[in-house]
Amino acid sequence: MAKKRGVKFLLPIDAVEADEIRAGANVRNTSRLSPQHGISDGWQAVDIGAATIALYQEEIAKAETILWNGPLGVSKFQSSARGRLRSREALAQSGATTTIGGWRFCDCGE
């Protein structure tokens, strides 16, 4: 539907995955996400990966208006906060009109 209407709709192209949702869990980066290769069996996506962060930063820099609903990743753990923190920095540096909703602020301590 987005393509039909000429709207750019970005989805993660890589991710950080964890073997469970808890402080100190084992985490690792996925290579590339695709319809053929998703999150590994027995693991869960907890944050966006480095390639997705770069993609989102590039798009944020070009944006005039940004609507952001909720954090990227599992917001209560530092190990899954990088995507959210880097995207938040990009928002602060952009000249876009930004509205953020559904956000839970935390110190992200583990």
Side-chain angles (χ1 to χ4, degrees):
M1 185 183 292
K3 185 176 182 178
K4 182 178 178 181
R5 294 181 182 211
V7 174
K8 192 174 239 181
F9 187 80
L10 301 175
L11 294 172
I13 56 176
D14 65 338
V16 175
E17 55 185 21
D19 60 352
E20 56 185 307
I21 305 295
R22 67 167 176 79
N26 295 312
V27 295
R28 64 185 182 196
N29 294 315
T30 63
S31 51
R32 297 286 177 161
L33 297 176
S34 70
Q36 296 77 30
H37 183 270
I39 301 302
S40 303
D41 288 341
W43 291 69
Q44 300 173 55
V46 295
D47 198 5
I48 57 175
T52 301
I53 291 170
L55 173 66
Y56 287 6
Q57 288 173 326
E58 181 180 319
E59 291 301 319
I60 288 168
K62 296 186 286 187
E64 294 179 19
T65 304
I66 299 170
L67 302 173
W68 183 354
N69 186 31
L72 300 168
V74 177
S75 62
K76 61 185 178 179
F77 302 120
Q78 188 66 30
S79 60
S80 57
R82 186 169 185 250
R84 175 175 37 84
L85 296 173
R86 297 299 175 262
S87 297
R88 187 174 67 186
E89 290 167 2
L91 288 173
Q93 294 171 1
S94 78
T97 299
T98 304
T99 301
I100 301 174
W103 192 269
R104 177 181 167 216
F105 288 96
C106 69
D107 65 4
C108 297
E110 292 189 315

